[in-house]
Amino acid sequence: MRELKSEYLKFHFKKGVFAILRDYASKEAQVIIDSSHDGVIVVDQEARVTLVNKHAKEILGLPDQIIGSKITEFIPNSDLLRILRTGKSEMGDINTIFNRELIINRLPIMEEGKVVGAVSNIKHIDDIQKMEMKIRKKLHQSGLEAKHQLSDIIGTSNVMKECKELAEKFAKTDATIMITGGSGTGKELFAQGIHLSSMRKKGPFVAINCAALPESLLESELFGYEEGTFTGAIKGGKMGLFELAHGGTIFLDEIGEMPLRIQSMLLRVLEEREVRRIGGEKIIPVDVRIIVATNRELEQMTQEGTFREDLYYRLNILALELPALQIRLSDIPELVYSFLEELNEKHPHRVAVFSDDVFSLFKQYEWPGNVRELRNVVERMVILAEDDTITLKDAKFLVEKLKNRVNEKKSKFETEKSVILSLLEEEQGNKTRVAERLGVDRTTLWRRMKKYNL
């Protein structure tokens, strides 16, 4: 009798230990799944909920007291019933619940070859996209961030105000933008500003100068490549800039220098919104806003056959023409003192002001290099300055430059005038033949003759 009682106590003691251990394991599992950012729900072979975390309750609209209840009481046609029945995993199923897009993975829980339960893992698509964006940025930190707002761009002249207002309007759309203007007019600044004023501002901003790379390297940078495509290829392949710009903006500077073969590949991206890596077969969808810039006459290039006409019209949907500095001379003082503030931090000798004579000189010069050239000139003056005020003695190099340009223009004027006079004499005043010999139309010849009082 004592032996039977002892065995009975041992059995129930073991049973109690197992219950304690099971409860402990359950609590530990609950802590683990509660720490997950995904929704997790687990059912046993009878479809009763054994584990569920708060994220799953929020996503699926489940009550707090659900453990032990059948999942069908709350989700009548639960897909977990199918997993319990078939024992097959289902990965990457996209569903919309409460107007939110979700990706759901469902897996069976197997024990000795039998289905003893099922687990469902639920992710918000928005969370996946945010994580993807972070990964893309870590993979390629350089050039993935815009820093300049449109409001940061210096200039209060009417022409600059109009440009910034137009850029703000363009930013509200997702259409392709073509920015034109001479070298140094601030095309990339405007591209960054448009990106940061758009719905894509939280996405990456990727910039590339199409004139800076040879054709083969430009292709691999834009579209990426698969492992083993060529000697020196990175193990695992490389993501192209269009992939890296997914969800954001890609800025293609000096688009007029892009080779015709790559132009046709760019046209495909614009039309299909997908890329294929060099040496790869997989088609990769991309969601990018394209901004291009050029200082060349693309329309003329299409007539010459050096730029694809179909690509030109696909790119030139929204056009933003930036003014030369010569057209916005009233902005020079504001630009100069902005550069001065920056340069004073960089150089040990600090400059306080520029004399009126220097500003007068600035307004006589044509600035072929625009704002970039102005900055270089200001920096040189700051370095050479002996006092805290910049005067004409610090600007001797610019005075000489101005004289040389005046002489060059005068020489060109006189040369062109003499050429036209000579041709008119040779052709006995026949303007049509003179225009043909000069390679211009009659209207252009007429304007030049008027200019030279001929």
Side-chain angles (χ1 to χ4, degrees), residues 150-156 159-169 190 320:
L150 288 172
S151 57
D152 297 332
I153 298 173
I154 295 168
T156 54
V159 67
M160 281 302 286
K161 284 179 181 176
E162 288 173 9
C163 282
K164 287 190 268 189
E165 286 170 5
L166 197 56
E168 285 283 2
K169 289 179 182 178
F190 269 88
L320 180 64

Side-chain angles (χ1 to χ4, degrees), residues 27-77:
K27 288 175 182 176
E28 193 174 52
Q30 188 67 51
V31 170
I32 292 168
I33 68 167
D34 278 341
S35 68
S36 172
H37 290 290
D38 304 335
V40 179
I41 184 165
V42 183
V43 298
D44 62 16
Q45 58 192 347
E46 295 177 353
R48 294 185 183 279
V49 178
T50 57
L51 278 173
V52 63
N53 68 359
K54 60 181 180 180
H55 297 299
K57 291 175 186 176
E58 290 169 1
I59 293 168
L60 301 174
L62 300 174
D64 288 334
Q65 305 303 321
I66 191 176
I67 300 296
S69 302
K70 284 202 170 188
I71 188 68
T72 49
E73 292 179 28
F74 307 96
I75 307 174
N77 300 312

Side-chain angles (χ1 to χ4, degrees), residues 252-289:
L252 305 175
D253 198 5
E254 303 295 353
I255 190 72
E257 307 301 324
M258 181 177 281
L260 281 166
R261 187 175 65 84
I262 300 182
Q263 287 179 31
S264 64
M265 299 170 76
L266 174 59
L267 182 63
R268 177 181 172 82
V269 176
L270 282 163
E271 291 176 342
E272 307 294 336
R273 296 290 166 177
E274 58 188 29
V275 296
R276 184 168 60 191
R277 293 183 186 178
I278 302 170
E281 297 296 327
K282 184 180 176 184
I283 299 297
I284 304 165
V286 289
D287 171 26
V288 293
R289 204 267 180 86

Side-chain angles (χ1 to χ4, degrees), residues 204-224:
F205 175 85
V206 179
I208 184 169
N209 188 320
C210 299
L213 301 172
E215 183 174 340
S216 58
L217 189 53
L218 178 61
E219 181 183 0
S220 65
E221 282 294 306
L222 287 173
F223 305 105

Side-chain angles (χ1 to χ4, degrees), residues 278-340:
I278 302 170
E281 297 296 327
K282 184 180 176 184
I283 299 297
I284 304 165
V286 289
D287 171 26
V288 293
R289 204 267 180 86
I290 297 173
I291 301 177
V292 302
T294 184
N295 59 8
R296 300 188 64 180
E297 293 290 340
L298 293 189
E299 193 166 3
Q300 184 179 335
M301 290 177 68
T302 63
Q303 296 169 7
E304 296 167 354
T306 53
F307 200 87
R308 290 183 63 116
E309 188 175 15
D310 48 3
L311 177 60
Y312 171 71
Y313 289 115
R314 287 303 301 268
L315 293 174
N316 194 29
I317 297 173
L318 298 176
L320 180 64
E321 185 176 358
L322 302 186
L325 183 57
Q326 191 180 15
I327 297 173
R328 46 181 289 227
L329 293 175
S330 62
D331 289 330
I332 286 181
E334 189 180 358
L335 286 163
V336 166
Y337 282 113
S338 171
F339 298 148
L340 186 60

Side-chain angles (χ1 to χ4, degrees), residues 371-416:
V371 178
R372 186 181 293 117
E373 185 181 8
L374 175 63
R375 189 193 184 286
N376 292 341
V377 166
V378 170
E379 183 166 16
R380 182 172 176 177
M381 288 180 174
V382 169
I383 292 170
L384 297 176
E386 296 176 0
D387 302 314
D388 63 355
T389 300
I390 299 287
T391 63
L392 282 179
K393 70 176 182 179
D394 303 305
K396 288 179 181 178
F397 68 94
L398 187 62
V399 172
E400 289 300 315
K401 206 171 185 181
L402 183 59
K403 285 180 181 177
N404 291 337
R405 288 192 68 81
V406 169
N407 291 335
E408 284 173 12
K409 284 183 71 177
K410 186 178 179 181
S411 175
K412 182 182 177 183
F413 181 94
E414 291 173 350
T415 301
E416 191 171 45

